[in-house]
Amino acid sequence: MPNVSIDGVEYEVAEGRTILQAIDDLGLLMNGVDIPHYCWHPKLSIDGSCRLCQVEVEGFPKLQIACNTPVKDGMVVRTQTESVQRAREGVMELLLVNHPLDCPICDQAGECKLQDYAFEYGLSHARTEEPRRALKKRYDIGPTILLDQERCILCRRCVRFCREVPETSELAVFARGDRSTIDVHPGVELDNDYSMNVADICPVGALTTKDFRFKVRVWFLDDVPGVCTGCSNGCNIHLGVASNKVYRYVPRRNDEVNETWICDEGRLSYKAIGAPDRLDASELRHADGRVETVRRDQAITLAAAKLRSLIATQGAGALAGIASAHATNEDLFTFRRLLDALGIESRACPVPTGRSDALLIKAEKAANAAGARALGFGDPAPVLDRLRGGGLEGAIVLGHDLLGPLGPDVSRLGSLDTVILIDTHHSELERVADVVFPARHAAEKLGTLTNHAGRVQRVQPALEPPFEAYAEGEILTRLGEALALPGFEADWDPRAVSKRMAQEVRAFAGCDVDSVGDSGKPMPGGSA
Amino acid sequence: MSLSEQVRDGIAREMAKYPKKRGALLPALHLAQAELGHISVETAKELAEVFEIRPIDVMEVVSFYNMFYDRPQGRHHVYVCTNLPCSLRGARTLMRGIEARLGIEAGETTADGRITLGHEECLGACAYAPMLRVGGTYHEDLDLEKAMQILDGLE
């Protein structure tokens, strides 16, 4: 493996990489070794068009672009010399010749590389007096994205992305030289399952998403690391949160999971968090169908009483535990403990399914289906058979994914003696439930989710729900306490539960909420 | 108007010369344009099918080279050199004069479809500036009246 000296420090780097790639491999890019760059992206082919990443390489008469110069054993690279600095200033000046400098009304301001580098390397005034190019602004190029051709610096990241990642090629550079513009083909919109990634990789304000545009200035946002819950891929994300509201998901790099991408559907799934149909209070359904909103503890007392009397008369065999593949491992571990303590053996987890592709989109449309299986909540068919065929008198149900496989038999559920529902959103299931508890979304609680490949990943509270809502595990713990079951006395502490789960469940050994870190960790046994 | 069998055969012959058939896109565009006069979006679609690429990949190339046209052209291409030496000898005034007389701007075609007017970069005739070309024919040492005589003589 070649040894390369970068700014006086020796590194061993992989064969066949370019200088910039090698620095990125070492985790040093913009994190110790600052080489500004626009066109280079770790997950796209090399373009070499922006010329900003020039560095000094000993033995070369001129500066070389770091993104496209292969490393060689004994290479000496300097990234912070005066000539490098001057080259950066020159490139910045040229890139800004036609830029409108409309930062005050540009939604990219605050996370704009042109702004950042202009601040660092740019001149304080323009030396050109010629009129700037007048091109299309607010140009609607598809259902998700607006293009501002004037702001574009022609780095071609978006063009390469569409060619190389979704392989849909909607974007191209038309004309050449100082007349070049990014555009779509007449009659073909930028419309693919990953289209909004172009706004993330656009280093300037040329490509913005219609969804996030002008919603909030980015400097008001806290970026909370989390996981997308749209499907079982578990793409790593940052939740952009301001004033206790999630404004967007953006992908967070994890080469093991989603590289630097996220699908559009997952990206927009943040809307479920603040949706108007969130369950926001505990409810009791009376025999006459009247629904009463109550305090949580009153609902707990009543649910416990109903469970106690049902078990006393019919036995625990008449009950089933239906898990949700949206709940965390910690919630489901608590559910398992409760069912164990009550002697309820009939368990299942319905998983909604949908479309999948070869890239990121998985068929299982829930974030923790693998975790539910690892904790013993499997195929719902046997439980559904029992429900349809009789022999079931009660159920504790998390989430409403049962509605799919249940179909018109949902009324059967209504005829059961006791149905306790813990859910995040309103659904038809509420009408057949005796007691309903509002649950927290994965963005509102600490815990872990297991993705399709058996990778345990952490979610943490990015916001406080503006109404009464609890982690499923918390409600189940309080229920256990009200039933006087041993081991359910303590306050809900997902961290402690996670550690206990990692100790007690072999599938989760070493995978508690702290040890998985921000980028997750594979379960020791692999996928369940 | 779609690609004739002749053009398609020609493209197939060009393709055989290249290790990757996409390499033959430029000669193919020349063949198609020679027959059809310009490369329309429909032609790009046909070529894209032949080359198993996307229409946008064809139009990107068409837009890159100024010898390819993406819209119908006049019967005569009139290009006025507006590079530095010609400009120093009055080419820009000449161009503005021609534009005014024809009633179009550079890049446009007269309503009767007779002339498409355009800028040209250096054609190597600086010693005879200003100059223009009509198709492949150079006309040199021009002033507006001389130029208009030449243009008026075009069918």
Side-chain angles (χ1 to χ4, degrees), chain A residues 159-419:
Chain A
V159 175
R160 282 174 285 145
F161 172 82
C162 290
R163 275 184 195 160
E164 296 165 15
V165 182
E167 298 180 1
T168 44
S169 289
E170 292 101 333
L171 294 170
V173 180
F174 288 88
R176 63 172 159 168
D178 67 347
R179 286 179 200 150
S180 302
T181 51
I182 301 286
D183 208 334
V184 289
H185 186 68
V188 182
E189 294 191 319
L190 170 60
D191 184 7
N192 62 62
D193 291 335
Y194 298 88
S195 65
M196 289 158 95
N197 287 287
V198 300
D200 300 329
I201 59 175
C202 181
V204 299
L207 293 162
T208 48
T209 68
K210 291 180 185 174
D211 184 62
F212 179 68
R213 221 171 124 85
F214 302 128
K215 293 283 160 62
V216 63
R217 279 301 199 181
V218 294
W219 52 83
F220 295 122
L221 290 180
D222 286 326
D223 283 334
V224 184
V227 173
C228 174
T229 54
C231 79
S232 63
N233 200 57
C235 291
N236 289 203
I237 53 165
H238 276 122
L239 297 91
V241 184
S243 317
N244 204 40
K245 183 179 167 190
V246 178
Y247 281 91
R248 66 173 179 183
Y249 285 173
V250 288
R252 177 165 61 90
R253 183 174 176 180
N254 188 334
D255 291 355
E256 303 295 322
V257 181
N258 54 309
E259 300 201 316
T260 53
W261 320 123
I262 184 178
C263 75
D264 290 355
E265 203 181 328
R267 184 189 298 263
L268 296 177
S269 67
Y270 77 89
K271 291 176 191 252
I273 302 168
D277 63 338
R278 279 294 294 273
L279 251 173
D280 57 3
S282 302
E283 291 170 358
L284 302 181
R285 188 177 54 112
H286 293 282
D288 58 4
R290 192 168 48 88
V291 173
E292 185 189 356
T293 300
V294 293
R295 300 283 302 268
R296 182 193 73 174
D297 290 347
Q298 194 186 339
I300 293 276
T301 309
L302 194 99
K306 286 190 79 91
L307 285 174
R308 195 182 290 121
S309 81
L310 182 60
I311 292 170
T313 55
Q314 307 277 335
L319 278 139
I322 313 291
S324 164
H326 299 284
T328 63
N329 292 316
E330 288 71 16
D331 294 326
L332 298 180
F333 174 67
T334 305
F335 195 22
R336 179 166 115 159
R337 282 182 53 232
L338 181 78
L339 297 173
D340 285 347
L342 291 170
I344 299 170
E345 278 162 19
S346 200
R347 301 171 194 186
C349 180
V351 181
T353 54
R355 196 168 66 87
S356 65
D357 70 11
L359 205 51
L360 298 176
I361 301 171
K362 298 291 179 283
E364 293 194 318
K365 301 297 173 196
N368 200 27
R373 282 191 288 271
L375 287 161
F377 297 96
D379 183 7
V383 177
L384 288 170
D385 285 347
R386 284 190 65 204
L387 183 67
R388 294 193 181 103
L392 209 58
E393 291 302 330
I396 305 172
V397 184
L398 312 190
H400 55 261
D401 292 328
L402 200 58
L403 284 172
L406 210 49
D409 293 336
V410 63
S411 54
R412 290 261 187 174
L413 213 51
S415 64
L416 298 192
D417 177 83
T418 300
V419 174

Side-chain angles (χ1 to χ4, degrees), chain B residues 81-92 120-122 126 129-130:
Chain B
C81 173
T82 51
N83 218 314
L84 182 63
C86 278
S87 289
L88 289 172
R89 299 270 295 157
R92 290 181 187 218
E120 184 73 276
E121 299 305 335
C122 185
C126 314

